Structures are given as C-alpha cells and as structure tokens.
Amino acid sequence: MRRVLVLGGTREARTLASRLDQDPTIEVISSLAGRVREPVLPVGRVRIGGFGGVEGLTQWLRDNDIDAVVDATHPFAARITANAADSTARAGVALLVLRRTEWSAGPDDRWHIVPDLASAADAIARLGERVFLTIGRQGVDAFAECPGWFLIRAIDPPSTALPRDAEVLLARGPFTVADEVTLMRDRGIDVLVTKNSGGALTSAKLDAARELGIPVVMVARTPIPAGVASTSDLDAAAAWVTQAKRPRHTKGRASECG
Ligand code: NAP
C-alpha cells in the first residue's frame, strides 16, 4: 500500500481523494485545516486541524509513514504550501502541488491586479463606493477602515473587524452569472474585489462584472515555492501518486498489511 497525504479544503482535493480511494493499492488521508464550520468532507480517512508548523508536519509525515503528499489546498493558502514544501524536503517525501488554473482577463474586463489585500483596500477608494467583497471570511479586516458600503460574501461569518457600513451574505458557490448580475444590480455594486482563486465554481461574478462594466480589483496569487512540481490536471496528479518515488524513511509495511 502507498500512503498518500492530500492537503485539502478544496473541491480538487475531494475529487482527487475519491479518485485515489478507488485504487486498492493506495491509502489516502485527507487533511483539512478545520476553518469551515460544516466542511464538505472527502471520502476516505480524514484528519482535521493544523500539524504544528514545519516541525509538526515533518514529524507527522514520519510517524504516519507517508509515501507522497499532494498539496491540493486553495491557491491562497500560502502558509501550508510553504510548510509542505519544507516538511517534505526534510522528510524526503515526494510532493506535488495540484493547483487550479488562474483566471485571466479578457479584452472587455477592467481588472486592477494588486499583490495583496492591503493594496486592494487602497485601490477601491479610487474605483467605487459600493464594494462587493468576495475574498472569503479571512482577511476582511484589511478593509475595516475603508469608507463606502460593502457587500461581504463568505461561507461562514467573518470573525474579524468589518467595514463600518457592511452587509454579510452567507453563501456557498457555485453561482450563476444571472444570479450574480441580479445581486450586483440589486445592491448597486460599482466595484468587485476578489482573489485570483481560479476555477469554474466562483467565476460567474467575473462574467457579471464584465457584463455590467464594473471594475475588478484582483488580488494576485503567491507563487508556488521554487523547485516544487505542480500541475493543474487531476489525471496527471492521480498518475503522479502511483509513480511517486518512495521516501527515505519508509521501512516497508509488509508486516502491518499482513
Ligand atoms: P494557510 O494560511 O496557508 O495555513 C495556516 C495554517 O493552517 C497552516 O500553517 C496549518 O497549520 C493550517 N492548515 C492550512 N491548511 C491545512 C490543511 N489542509 N490541513 C491541515 N492544516 C492546515 O491556510 P488558510 O489560507 O488559512 O486556509 C486554510 C484551509 O482553507 C486550507 O486547507 C485551504 O485549502 C482552505 N481554503 C482557503 C482559502 C483561502 O482563500 N485562503 C479558500 C478556500 C479554502 P499548522 O502550521 O499548525 O500545520
């Protein structure tokens, strides 16, 4: 048996886990941070909660005889991605990052690309007064001092400081373009703020912004750590798992498996 850790919290991670779960030679352990109150759980074994930084994850990989790690976390979960790169290097375990393709602007889009949330907060002052903030629940406090009115959409309520004038809308995608257009029109939105998460589940807001001629403040991704293999293709990730080189620490589990 190959034992694979899938760092999750995304639809891609769940799809990969269910794909690998069908292979009798692979045991999948999915890991979630535990941020969402009612997470959609992947099939198979699941562990929830942080590992305790690089030290903790390195030890966990050794203690659990992990053969390979697929980091299928969200493109903006930069800390766990950096930790996975360090820990797998230390433990001598193969690592692949599975990351969905970025969104890219078309000729009719009015994107303002910024490096982080603080820059996004600065940018909106020049662009609009009624802001649709779709960055999830984390990082909303970067906008706490901003003037203007905010529609904040997230799966769970933000637990940090909010802008003074704001409505929180709890919703989980996918959303349709028609619904996004109606929502933006209804709330009089004149600027959209989002992170370049990529993927089809939440891209309808970008189509709606284009249709309505609304500017988009797009927060760019942190790059994948240098030297780490990556793919956006699920089939390639599944194939990689079956071919991944066994780690140095693996002692062989023949006795465990009988
Ligand atoms: P982060 O800033 O990169 O990670 C912060 C800490 O949370 C990590 O150091 C780690 O704690 C723990 N952690 C993160 N992902 C984990 C996982 N899959 N399993 C176990 N521990 C994990 O991450 P984040 O931005 O807070 O995101 C947390 C989770 O939500 C991720 O799994 C991600 O896939 C999902 N998510 C994030 C976003 C987003 O916009 N950031 C959006 C949708 C889903 P220790 O150091 O203690 O190990």
Side-chain angles (χ1 to χ4, degrees):
M1 285 286 265
R2 258 167 203 278
R3 193 173 285 164
V4 180
L5 172 66
V6 176
L7 295 167
T10 59
R11 185 178 52 93
E12 291 83 356
R14 290 191 293 276
T15 309
L16 180 66
S18 63
R19 174 89 64 91
L20 296 176
D21 191 59
Q22 288 163 18
D23 185 332
T25 68
I26 293 173
E27 182 190 359
V28 188
I29 305 173
S30 293
S31 177
L32 304 179
R35 297 274 192 281
V36 177
R37 218 178 290 157
E38 289 176 35
V40 184
L41 291 176
V43 297
R45 209 171 131 189
V46 180
R47 66 163 299 287
I48 298 182
F51 295 94
V54 173
E55 297 289 342
L57 179 52
T58 306
Q59 196 56 47
W60 193 94
L61 295 174
R62 289 182 175 136
D63 290 348
N64 289 276
D65 271 348
I66 297 298
D67 292 311
V69 176
V70 180
D71 171 5
T73 56
H74 189 271
F76 280 83
R79 172 91 57 83
I80 189 70
T81 292
N83 288 357
D86 284 352
S87 302
T88 51
R90 286 188 192 194
V93 174
L95 169 67
L96 179 75
V97 173
L98 172 61
R99 187 125 310 167
R100 62 184 82 143
T101 306
E102 287 189 305
W103 294 317
S104 54
D108 297 328
D109 286 313
R110 296 173 57 201
W111 284 18
H112 300 259
I113 300 172
V114 294
D116 51 36
L117 292 176
S119 311
D122 288 343
I124 51 176
R126 289 178 272 114
L127 296 169
E129 291 172 349
R130 295 186 64 85
V131 184
F132 186 16
L133 190 61
T134 65
I135 58 163
R137 66 192 279 270
Q138 296 184 68
V140 171
D141 54 337
F143 301 85
E145 301 302 322
C146 288
W149 181 85
F150 281 74
L151 173 64
I152 302 169
R153 184 169 67 193
I155 294 174
D156 286 326
S159 50
T160 52
L162 301 183
R164 201 168 315 140
D165 206 2
E167 172 189 342
V168 174
L169 177 63
L170 299 183
R172 194 195 293 262
F175 307 102
T176 67
V177 179
D179 285 348
E180 298 288 50
V181 167
T182 302
L183 179 68
M184 290 191 210
R185 275 210 179 115
D186 185 51
R187 302 302 203 282
I189 296 299
D190 56 14
V191 58
L192 167 69
V193 180
T194 189
K195 300 190 284 194
N196 197 335
S197 304
L201 280 187
T202 56
S203 63
K205 61 194 168 194
L206 301 173
D207 298 331
R210 187 185 312 115
E211 200 171 314
L212 297 170
I214 290 173
V216 176
V217 178
M218 180 65 73
V219 182
R221 294 179 177 185
T222 308
I224 292 167
V228 173
S230 67
T231 182
S232 59
D233 183 63
L234 234 126
D235 293 334
W240 176 89
V241 166
T242 57
Q243 290 154 17
K245 212 166 147 235
R246 295 246 164 172
R248 295 191 293 270
H249 70 260
T250 301
K251 297 174 283 289
R253 288 184 217 109
S255 55
E256 274 181 47
C257 301

